[in-house]
Amino acid sequence: MTSIQQQVHTWLEEGRVDIFLAYRMVEGHPLPHAFTRERIDETDTLVTGPARYSLEKFATHIASRYPDAKIGMVARDCNQRALNVLQVWNQLKPGQVDTVPVNCCPSLLKPHADCSYLEPKPAGHVKLERGQDPNQSLAQADTLPRAERFDRWMYEFSKCIKCYGCRNICPVCFCKDCSLEHPDLIGTGHLPPDIPIFHLVRAVHMAGRCIDCGLCEDACPAEIPLRLLYRKVNAIVKDLFGYETGSGDTLPPFSILGDKPTMSPQPLLAVSQE
Ligand code: SF4
Ligand code: SF4
Ligand code: SF4
């Protein structure tokens, strides 16, 4: 048993957590898995990667059905930032999720060499250099003339096939009624979806909420540089309000618009009641 497998085994055995979210190799692929006391022997098969998934999204689904569940989770830096946001937005109770911090493994970091959180945890792992892809560099993108930037984004948005992969994978997209499916806002029956409104609606919603995990961009079959877009809105939020998403326990500045977020956790996908 590895030390993490042993730790999770102990946490389940002692009742520190009711369920532990991590990964398990299935036919050579690491898949998200919920480890439980009832099937504690499965902890022998627990792995922490190589895979990246919004485990915290599962946590919110579990918490919405079992509000008192004590949940454990392996957490990279991006998972932890997402958990902070989900607590701030009242989707998880403070302290409801107990984490085992893990480092992003090098094979996962390579395609994300522009990640802003390159310092490995624990120390001693491989440290990567930032990527050179101009699509990924906010500073470089900002040097383009405004008209060229606008054309570029319209071109990128025109590739969208409205699959909702970006929203569905996003750990901080938790609304029961999503604006992107509201017929008054987004028309139906044509592709691409109304541009740029479809993407701008989501970008505005990510202001002060996106934790820059990059999962949306990984999921996008049209390879739209979504992460760059959300980095831009968050850079504006930081400049204007000094607010850094995912780092603290205060609501973002835009939460002053509309109702106070007192909603009980609402899963995006329906949870079976059986
Ligand atoms: S990078 Fe994409 S998936 Fe990750 S939090 Fe931001 S919008 Fe959501
Ligand atoms: S944050 Fe916006 S895009 Fe995400 S689920 Fe809510 S309404 Fe939809
Ligand atoms: S994942 Fe890409 S193609 Fe799918 S809705 Fe999002 S932006 Fe459009």
Side-chain angles (χ1 to χ4, degrees):
M1 252 192 182
T2 65
S3 60
I4 288 183
Q5 289 171 345
Q6 184 60 60
Q7 186 174 357
V8 174
H9 191 282
T10 306
W11 279 18
L12 287 168
E13 201 171 45
E14 294 176 349
R16 177 166 167 163
V17 294
D18 302 314
I19 194 162
F20 193 93
L21 301 171
Y23 301 90
R24 190 178 182 211
M25 295 305 274
V26 177
E27 298 187 3
H29 299 283
L31 299 183
H33 189 75
F35 295 86
T36 60
R37 201 171 309 129
E38 288 69 34
R39 301 168 78 172
I40 202 163
D41 289 348
E42 286 183 351
T43 48
D44 289 2
T45 62
L46 182 152
V47 291
T48 59
R52 235 163 48 91
Y53 209 82
S54 42
L55 295 177
E56 55 280 5
K57 192 151 190 158
F58 291 123
T60 58
H61 287 216
I62 293 165
S64 72
R65 188 170 177 188
Y66 303 103
D68 296 325
K70 293 177 283 179
I71 304 167
M73 203 182 101
V74 287
R76 298 189 166 82
D77 202 291
C78 49
N79 299 123
Q80 189 57 59
R81 295 195 303 280
L83 287 173
N84 294 346
V85 169
L86 291 165
Q87 279 182 33
V88 164
W89 284 94
N90 202 24
Q91 301 300 300
L92 292 167
K93 292 181 196 166
Q96 185 168 15
V97 180
D98 219 342
T99 55
V100 174
V102 292
N103 185 23
C104 225
C105 54
S107 64
L108 282 173
L109 266 178
K110 265 176 197 147
H112 295 278
D114 64 317
C115 182
S116 311
Y117 303 86
L118 289 180
E119 279 302 335
K121 284 200 285 298
H125 230 311
V126 180
K127 186 177 179 196
L128 299 171
E129 299 303 322
R130 286 175 195 281
Q132 299 299 313
D133 181 355
N135 275 346
Q136 303 297 321
S137 162
L138 203 51
Q140 269 181 294
D142 278 349
T143 61
L144 291 175
R146 184 174 291 210
E148 212 172 303
R149 248 186 290 164
F150 181 79
D151 287 349
R152 177 61 191 264
W153 279 114
M154 290 301 276
Y155 163 72
E156 294 291 349
F157 296 156
S158 72
K159 298 188 293 181
C160 177
I161 59 165
K162 202 184 178 189
C163 65
Y164 291 110
C166 49
R167 178 202 62 182
N168 293 350
I169 194 74
C170 177
V172 294
C173 264
F174 48 72
C175 310
K176 190 180 177 196
D177 298 312
C178 176
S179 307
L180 299 181
E181 294 190 62
H182 200 294
D184 290 346
L185 204 55
I186 311 291
T188 56
H190 56 85
L191 285 177
D194 303 296
I195 59 171
I197 190 73
F198 181 89
H199 294 276
L200 295 189
V201 165
R202 185 150 196 277
V204 168
H205 291 192
M206 290 302 107
R209 197 194 289 207
C210 167
I211 47 85
D212 194 26
C213 67
L215 286 173
C216 52
E217 194 169 296
D218 285 356
C220 179
E223 300 191 335
I224 300 172
L226 298 167
R227 195 177 189 179
L228 178 62
L229 181 64
Y230 308 138
R231 276 183 178 175
K232 181 65 188 175
V233 290
N234 267 338
I236 294 170
V237 170
K238 191 173 176 188
D239 282 354
L240 290 179
F241 301 102
Y243 184 82
E244 187 140 11
T245 313
S247 60
D249 56 5
T250 51
L251 278 164
F254 291 165
S255 63
I256 58 171
L257 303 174
D259 295 335
K260 198 163 174 265
T262 52
M263 64 282 218
S264 56
Q266 295 282 9
L268 182 64
L269 305 171
V271 177
S272 163
Q273 296 300 311
E274 289 158 20

